[in-house]
Amino acid sequence: MSAEANRKLMEEIFAAAANPDPAIRDRALFIASLADDVKWVVTGQYSWSRTFTGKDSILNDLHGHVRSLLVDRARTIAHRFIADGDHVVVEAKGNNLTKTGVRYDNDYCLVFRLANGKIEEVREYCDSVLTEKALGWFPESLGRAAG
């Protein structure tokens, strides 16, 4: 796929998943666009830093854990897409409230690598201090530590 087609796909994924109404927020295109052996790398050197490998680990260990801590389904609103070949960089901002009443409105830079319309890898950059302050330490029992 072209850089433009990759950018368009990512725009569609974020638009569907960021709908203000949680009842119609849709992650189906995101899930369908994940390669079976996709990797999600949470960068840095904090408790959330690790590589999640495969759809199941990303959807359940990473996203499932985050969703379990929030009032509504997680909402991340993209405001910039930059495409170059098989990579799309997405700048985005969270709009979330934890079940303990703490705002979790993190700023993200997500670098997606795509092949044939499938997301092969995601590298997530965010405010690690805010993540641990709002969501706590990531459970050791979930995901697979980066190494």
Side-chain angles (χ1 to χ4, degrees):
M1 290 177 59
S2 69
E4 179 62 23
N6 287 334
R7 183 185 61 75
K8 185 174 191 265
L9 174 61
M10 296 312 303
E11 287 176 344
E12 291 171 358
I13 287 170
F14 274 86
N19 192 298
D21 183 348
I24 56 176
R25 211 167 286 157
D26 187 5
R27 294 175 17 109
L29 181 58
F30 168 70
I31 294 167
S33 298
L34 291 173
D36 290 335
D37 59 348
V38 61
K39 292 184 180 181
W40 191 296
V41 180
V42 179
T43 63
Q45 297 181 20
Y46 67 117
S47 68
W48 290 71
S49 299
R50 63 193 67 222
T51 298
F52 298 87
T53 302
K55 276 185 176 186
D56 185 61
S57 182
I58 291 168
L59 296 174
N60 296 312
D61 296 339
L62 177 58
H63 293 178
H65 180 61
V66 171
R67 283 192 315 273
S68 76
L69 301 171
L70 302 178
V71 172
D72 277 324
R73 292 168 52 192
R75 184 166 180 234
T76 304
I77 303 161
H79 54 87
R80 180 171 293 131
F81 296 86
I82 302 167
D84 181 22
D86 59 353
H87 286 84
V88 178
V89 178
V90 179
E91 286 187 84
K93 178 126 181 127
N95 182 0
N96 301 293
L97 180 66
T98 69
K99 290 178 179 174
T100 60
V102 176
R103 293 296 314 169
Y104 180 60
D105 300 334
N106 215 329
D107 290 298
Y108 297 97
C109 180
L110 302 162
V111 181
F112 293 86
R113 182 175 52 80
L114 297 99
N116 302 314
K118 295 288 187 179
I119 300 167
E120 298 282 337
E121 182 179 75
V122 183
R123 294 187 61 81
E124 175 183 318
Y125 302 87
C126 68
D127 181 345
S128 58
V129 173
L130 174 61
T131 300
E132 286 185 336
K133 181 180 173 186
L135 303 180
W137 284 59
F138 193 82
E140 286 296 321
S141 62
L142 296 177
R144 192 165 70 181

